[in-house]
Amino acid sequence: MKKRLYLHPYALAGLVPAGFFLVFYVYPLAGIGVRSFFKNGQVNLFFLDQVFQSPRMLGIIWFTFWQAGLSTLLTLAAAFPCAFVLSRYAFRGKGLLQLLASIPFVLPAVVTAAALQACFGKDGGMFGVGIAHPLALILLAHVFYNFSVMLRIMTGFWSSLQGRIREAAVMLGAGPFRVFSTITLPLLRPAVLAASTLVFMFCFSSFGIILILGGPSFSTIEAEIYRQAAHLFNLPLASFLSLVQILFTFSLMWVYTSFTRRAARFMPKAEQAELKKPVRVWEKLMVAGVAVFVVGLCTVPLAALVVKSCMYEGRFSPAFYTALFQNVSGSIFYIPPVHAVQYSLLFALISLLIALVTGTCAALFIRFCDQRFTPAWASFFDPLFMLPLSTSAVTLGFGMIITLDRPPLNLRTSFFLIPIAHALVGFPFVVRSILPALRSIPQSLTDAAAVLGASPLKIAFTIDLPLIAKSLAAGAIFAFTVSLGEFGATLFTARPETPTLPVAIYRFLGQPGAMNHGQAMAMSVILMLVTALGFVGIENFRKQNPEGF
Amino acid sequence: MENELVLDQVGKTFDDGSLVLRNIDLRLAQGTKLSVLGPSGSGKTTLLRLIAGLEPPDSGNIFFDGQRINDLPPHQRRFGMMFQEFALFPHMNVFDNIGYGLRMKGFSRDRIELRVKEMLVLTGLSGFEKRQVDALSGGERQRVALARALAPEPRLLMLDEPLSSLDRVLRKRLLAELTAILSRLNITTLFVTHDHEEAFAAGSRVIIMNQGSIEQAGTPGELIQSPKNQWVREFLGL
C-alpha cells in the first residue's frame, strides 16, 4: 500500500509547488534573515541598535501601526451600514451596486493612488478642493481600497444570519434591538474581527499608496525598506526591516486565520434568506443613502481619473494618450511608454501560466492529503501555501534581488524574475479559487471512474480538472490581474528597459510637470480598464464562494 | 475455479481503531447472485469498497480468479460498481458516461459506439445518448448507472444500495427491471441493501451482516425458515 501511495500523481504534484516555494520563497526569505544578523560570516546585531535606538525608525514603526489601525476603523465605519442594508434588503440595482462596490479592491494600488490624486490632489483636484495633507489622502485611499473586502466578508456573513435564526429569536419574544444585541452582534463579531484583521494587514503592508501619496514625510516599514534598499543602498538595514515586517505580517495572518476559523464555526448553514423590500420611509432613506454613498465612494475618484486624463491645458484633448506612443527625448524611459502595456501583458501571461500550474498542483496535492490522510495534514499544507499572501510584496521582491543575484541561481538580469515574483503573489489566489471546487467533487465520482478503469492520472484529466474548469478560469484571471497590478515586488525586480504599467505610472507621477502627470493618469486609466475587464470575467466564473475574497 | 472471488479472513479497522469488518470469509463462484443485507453501519458498504479496491484491507487476503488482488489498484481489477447516488459524471452526457469505461480501455470510437448502443437497448434507454445527466429522472439515472457499470464487461458487478435514492413506488418497479436484466447475464453480482425484500428478490444467496461480521448466510428460503438467532429474526421482521 505504501509504495502505491507515494506514486500517486497528486502526491507527486505536491513537488511542483514545494520546489517553487523552496527556491523562490523560502530561499529569498532565508537570505533576508541571514543578511539581518550576519556580516562577513559573523553574528552582527548592529542593525538591531540602528532600528531600535533611532527615533526616526521607531517613529516609522509606530506610524505603520496607527495609520493601519485608523484606516481599519474608518473602513469598518463605512462598510458596516452598507453591509447591513445589502444583507437585509432587496432592491432594484442591487447587483450593480455590489459589483460597483467590489471594483476598488481589484484595482491596483497605483491606480487607487493616482485616482485619489486626480480627485483631491494638491494641484486643485477635481472639484477645486485639494486635500493638502498627505495623511488624509492616505487614509482616504485605504478606505477606498479596502471598503470592498470588508463589505464582502461582512455582507456574506450577515446575510446568513437573516433567516431562521432571526425568526427563532423573534418568536421567543426578542424585539429588533434585542435580536441585534443578543443574536446578530455576537454571531457577527468573529467575521467583523476577521475582516478587520485582514484590512489592518493590507494597510500595514500598504506600499504603493504610501509611496505615492505620502511623499517623503510619511513612511511605513514597507516604504522604508524600499528607500533604504533602493535609494540609500543600505541593504543590511533593509533586510532587518524586512524581517520585522515579515514577523508582523505573519502574526497578523495567524490572527486572521484563527478569526476566520471561529467565524466559520459560527456560520449557520447557508439558507436562502428572505430579503425584505424597503417599505417604510426610513428604510427607503437608508437604502438610498447607502446607494449614494457606495456610488460616490467607488466612482467619483475613478471618474476624476478618467476626466483628468482627457484634459490638457483646460480643454478636452487626447494629448496624454497620444504622448504615450512617442519616445520623447529626455523622458524617463528609453522606449515609448506604451510599451509598458505590452510588457505588463506579457509578464501577466507568463505569471498566469506559472501560477496556474503551481497552484493547480498545490490544490490537487491538498486534496490528496484530504482523502488519504487525517485532516491534520491538509490543514497543515493549506495555510502553508497561503504564506505568500502574508508576506508583503516588497519583502518578497527585496529577498529575491538579494539572493537570486548570484550562483547557484543568478536571475538578476533574467526576464523571468518579474513573472516569477508575480506568480508567487498570484499563487494563493489560484489555490483559493480551485480548492473549494475540488473539495466539492463527491468522492463517489472519482471512485466510479477508478472502478471503470481510470488510472489516477486519467481521473485527473477526465474528471477532476474538467469539473473545476470554471474555477480554473477564475483562478487564471485572478493571477493575471494580480500580475497586472503588482507594484511592490516589481519595483525591485523590474529592469529599466522593461517597465510594467504600475512602475511606469509611479515614475511618471514622481516627475514634475503636467505632461508627466497627465500621462500617469492616462496609463492608470488603461490599467484600470484592463483590470476591470478581468474582474468582470472572474465574477462570471465564480460561484458564491465564501472562502475567497 | 474461473473468476471465483475468495475473501480469506478479511478485516478492516478505521483510523480511530474501531473495527469495521472482522475476519470475513466468503467464496463466490462465477455467476452467483449474492445479496449483502444488513442495517446501516454493519460494514456492508466497506466490504464492497475492499473488494473494489477503493480501500485496502488491514488483514486477510482477497483473491480473484486464483490471483491475490490485495494490492491491485481499482482501475486494474476490471470490476464494475453501481454507486449509491449513482455518481454519474455531471460534465458528460449519457453516451459519454456509459462509454467512459470503454474509453479507459482504449477502445476505438466505432467499438465504443457499438457497445454503448447495445447497453442503451439493454436498459431501455435508446435515444437518450445526447441527454445531459442532470436532466434525467431518478429511474433513468439508475439505468444509466447500470449501463455504465456493465459496458466494459466487468468480471464482477457490485451494486451499493442501487435503489435507496428512489421513492417507494419506483423502487419496486426498478427492482424487478434490474433483477431481470442481471439474471440474463452470467455475471457474479454483489447486491448491497438494508431492505430484506430487495435482498431476497435480487440474490439467490444472501449474507446478513451485523457489526462487521457475517451473522448468517444462506438462500432466502433458509433464512426465512430458520433464522439463526433472535437478532436475525428481529432484523428480518419475522
Side-chain angles (χ1 to χ4, degrees):
Chain A
M1 199 53 209
K2 275 239 160 72
K3 222 173 13 180
R4 237 174 68 209
L5 207 68
Y6 292 113
L7 287 177
H8 195 288
Y10 289 5
L12 293 177
L15 294 176
V16 175
F20 183 67
F21 259 54
L22 221 56
V23 177
F24 298 114
Y25 182 76
V26 178
Y27 177 51
L29 255 50
I32 288 176
V34 170
R35 291 287 183 98
S36 310
F37 293 117
F38 294 95
K39 198 178 179 185
N40 304 325
Q42 294 201 314
V43 179
N44 185 333
L45 297 179
F46 171 65
F47 300 105
L48 212 66
D49 284 356
Q50 210 176 348
V51 169
F52 292 106
Q53 300 293 322
S54 141
R56 186 178 130 74
M57 288 297 161
L58 287 178
I60 286 171
I61 294 176
W62 170 234
F63 173 69
T64 309
F65 270 97
W66 75 254
Q67 65 82 18
L70 192 56
S71 301
T72 309
L73 282 180
L74 291 173
T75 312
L76 187 63
F80 202 85
C82 299
F84 172 73
V85 165
L86 285 178
S87 59
R88 192 86 188 270
Y89 295 104
F91 50 91
R92 221 163 20 153
K94 186 179 169 186
L96 191 67
L97 200 65
Q98 275 176 311
L99 190 72
L100 213 57
S102 41
I103 285 179
F105 185 61
V106 291
L107 285 182
V110 179
V111 173
T112 302
L116 281 162
Q117 209 161 62
C119 201
F120 305 108
K122 293 187 277 279
D123 56 334
M126 178 70 172
F127 312 101
V129 275
I131 297 179
H133 207 284
L135 183 61
L137 270 183
I138 290 175
L139 293 175
L140 201 57
H142 281 166
V143 172
F144 172 81
Y145 187 61
N146 292 304
F147 175 73
S148 325
V149 71
M150 187 80 99
L151 185 68
R152 195 170 199 133
I153 296 179
M154 287 209 313
T155 310
F157 203 87
W158 211 335
S159 312
S160 68
L161 298 182
Q162 298 296 345
R164 296 284 142 68
I165 202 159
R166 257 184 71 84
E167 290 167 10
V170 172
M171 290 312 292
L172 289 166
F177 286 104
R178 295 292 296 277
V179 171
F180 184 78
S181 64
T182 58
I183 306 291
T184 312
L185 211 53
L187 283 171
L188 203 57
R189 197 180 297 132
V192 169
L193 287 174
S196 303
T197 316
L198 195 65
V199 169
F200 185 88
M201 194 171 80
F202 287 147
C203 297
F204 189 86
S205 50
S206 163
F207 178 63
I209 288 171
I210 303 277
L211 208 59
I212 292 170
L213 297 178
S217 45
F218 290 92
S219 191
T220 56
I221 302 176
E222 191 88 343
E224 194 59 23
I225 295 168
Y226 176 69
R227 285 203 182 106
Q228 290 294 338
H231 295 163
L232 307 169
F233 301 105
N234 191 346
L235 295 189
L237 183 58
S239 300
F240 187 78
L241 284 172
S242 299
L243 197 69
V244 172
Q245 177 79 354
I246 290 168
L247 287 180
F248 282 135
T249 49
F250 273 23
S251 331
L252 285 169
M253 195 62 179
W254 185 80
V255 174
Y256 168 67
T257 37
S258 58
F259 279 140
T260 37
R261 212 170 296 142
R262 269 199 8 224
R265 201 176 52 210
F266 284 133
M267 182 123 169
K269 279 269 166 283
E271 51 177 308
Q272 206 53 47
E274 283 290 311
L275 291 180
K276 293 209 292 183
K277 277 210 156 62
V279 184
R280 292 179 205 161
V281 177
W282 65 269
E283 288 177 319
K284 285 184 175 164
L285 277 176
M286 204 163 52
V287 169
V290 162
V292 168
F293 176 74
V294 170
V295 171
L297 179 71
C298 299
T299 59
V300 169
L302 301 180
L305 183 65
V306 175
V307 169
K308 282 246 164 165
S309 76
C310 300
M311 301 289 275
Y312 182 60
E313 292 180 343
R315 276 175 299 117
F316 178 80
S317 149
F320 295 135
Y321 288 91
T322 50
L324 293 179
F325 292 88
Q326 287 149 13
N327 190 5
V328 185
S329 61
S331 118
I332 34 182
F333 302 110
Y334 309 108
I335 50 167
V338 75
H339 284 236
V341 179
Q342 292 166 18
Y343 285 121
S344 265
L345 290 175
L346 183 62
F347 289 139
L349 208 62
I350 301 173
S351 68
L352 175 159
L353 288 176
I354 302 175
L356 198 61
V357 170
T358 49
T360 308
C361 286
L364 291 175
F365 177 70
I366 295 174
R367 173 77 177 140
F368 174 77
C369 293
D370 275 350
Q371 289 178 332
R372 293 297 178 97
F373 304 113
T374 47
W377 281 88
S379 56
F380 171 75
F381 283 113
D382 202 347
L384 194 72
F385 286 140
M386 292 300 114
L387 278 181
L389 209 60
S390 54
T391 318
S392 75
V394 166
T395 50
L396 267 182
F398 177 63
M400 281 181 151
I401 57 152
I402 63 167
T403 51
L404 301 175
D405 64 339
R406 66 194 72 181
L409 193 60
N410 187 350
L411 296 174
R412 194 165 51 90
T413 56
S414 166
F415 181 79
F416 285 98
L417 198 55
I418 295 177
I420 286 171
H422 288 183
L424 208 53
V425 181
F427 170 90
F429 292 92
V430 176
V431 178
R432 271 284 144 264
S433 311
I434 297 178
L435 198 56
L438 208 54
R439 281 180 164 151
S440 73
I441 298 176
Q443 164 123 37
S444 63
L445 289 188
T446 44
D447 282 351
V451 174
L452 286 165
S455 64
L457 199 63
K458 278 187 177 158
I459 293 178
F461 284 103
T462 59
I463 308 291
D464 285 345
L465 293 177
L467 280 175
I468 59 165
K470 279 189 174 175
S471 307
L472 279 172
I477 302 174
F478 248 131
F480 191 79
T481 43
V482 163
S483 168
L484 278 182
E486 211 293 319
F487 178 58
T490 317
L491 205 51
F492 276 105
T493 48
R495 307 201 46 76
E497 67 273 19
T498 57
T500 66
L501 274 172
V503 170
I505 293 167
Y506 172 64
R507 299 259 186 258
F508 273 127
L509 282 176
Q511 297 293 313
M515 197 39 148
N516 283 322
H517 204 255
Q519 288 193 62
M521 298 297 158
M523 286 193 119
S524 299
V525 170
I526 295 174
L527 183 53
M528 175 175 81
L529 289 180
V530 181
T531 319
L533 218 59
F535 170 68
V536 172
I538 295 176
E539 287 298 300
N540 266 339
F541 282 123
R542 175 163 59 178
K543 284 183 267 171
Q544 206 59 29
N545 172 6
E547 263 194 78
F549 302 110
Chain B
M1 260 212 304
E2 204 194 346
N3 282 354
E4 188 186 35
L5 174 74
V6 178
L7 270 66
D8 175 28
Q9 295 284 301
V10 170
K12 177 81 185 167
T13 34
F14 270 150
D15 288 336
D16 62 4
S18 65
L19 221 56
V20 196
L21 289 175
R22 64 185 88 202
N23 307 336
I24 301 288
D25 284 315
L26 196 64
R27 189 172 280 268
L28 285 186
Q30 157 115 45
T32 312
K33 305 276 182 277
L34 176 81
S35 289
V36 181
L37 176 63
S40 48
S42 60
K44 47 194 195 316
T45 294
T46 306
L47 182 68
L48 277 202
R49 294 178 64 80
L50 293 191
I51 297 171
L54 295 169
E55 271 167 52
D58 293 324
S59 61
N61 289 310
I62 303 175
F63 298 92
F64 192 83
D65 204 13
Q67 185 199 357
R68 181 175 175 275
I69 57 168
N70 280 34
D71 300 319
L72 196 66
H75 63 278
Q76 290 168 10
R77 294 194 180 194
R78 297 198 279 128
F79 292 172
M81 185 149 170
M82 239 177 104
F83 289 82
Q84 239 173 70
E85 312 282 336
F86 308 135
L88 299 181
F89 304 133
H91 57 307
M92 300 179 192
N93 61 19
V94 169
F95 182 94
D96 288 333
N97 260 284
I98 299 176
Y100 187 85
L102 305 167
R103 280 218 307 284
M104 293 302 118
K105 280 184 154 182
F107 279 17
S108 69
R109 276 207 69 83
D110 293 351
R111 241 181 116 187
I112 294 178
E113 199 148 324
L114 212 68
R115 179 71 182 156
V116 172
K117 285 263 153 68
E118 209 179 309
M119 287 297 106
L120 289 169
V121 172
L122 180 78
T123 50
L125 283 173
S126 298
F128 277 66
E129 291 89 330
K130 294 268 176 288
R131 295 273 194 98
Q132 286 303 312
V133 292
D134 51 9
L136 299 179
S137 71
E140 288 160 353
R141 279 159 193 260
Q142 187 250 10
R143 284 186 267 172
V144 173
L146 179 67
R148 186 179 71 176
L150 287 175
E153 299 187 62
R155 307 188 287 176
L156 176 86
L157 180 65
M158 289 167 277
L159 304 100
D160 186 8
E161 305 261 10
L163 304 168
S164 63
S165 61
L166 307 172
D167 67 61
R168 209 177 152 68
V169 183
L170 195 59
R171 199 152 56 195
K172 265 219 154 104
R173 209 185 78 216
L174 290 177
L175 177 65
E177 253 182 54
L178 187 63
T179 48
I181 291 173
L182 292 177
S183 65
R184 268 185 273 160
L185 308 164
N186 181 29
I187 183 174
T188 316
T189 36
L190 281 94
F191 188 107
V192 161
T193 177
H194 62 270
D195 180 309
H196 57 266
E197 279 175 44
E198 275 181 24
F200 295 157
S204 54
R205 272 182 63 197
V206 178
I207 58 174
I208 300 182
M209 296 194 61
N210 182 25
Q211 296 186 355
S213 308
I214 296 177
E215 194 77 36
Q216 190 174 357
T219 65
E222 286 166 3
L223 291 171
I224 292 172
Q225 262 151 40
S226 46
K228 195 174 119 189
N229 53 32
Q230 183 64 23
W231 186 86
V232 174
R233 193 173 300 119
E234 270 175 23
F235 179 65
L236 293 179
L238 299 171

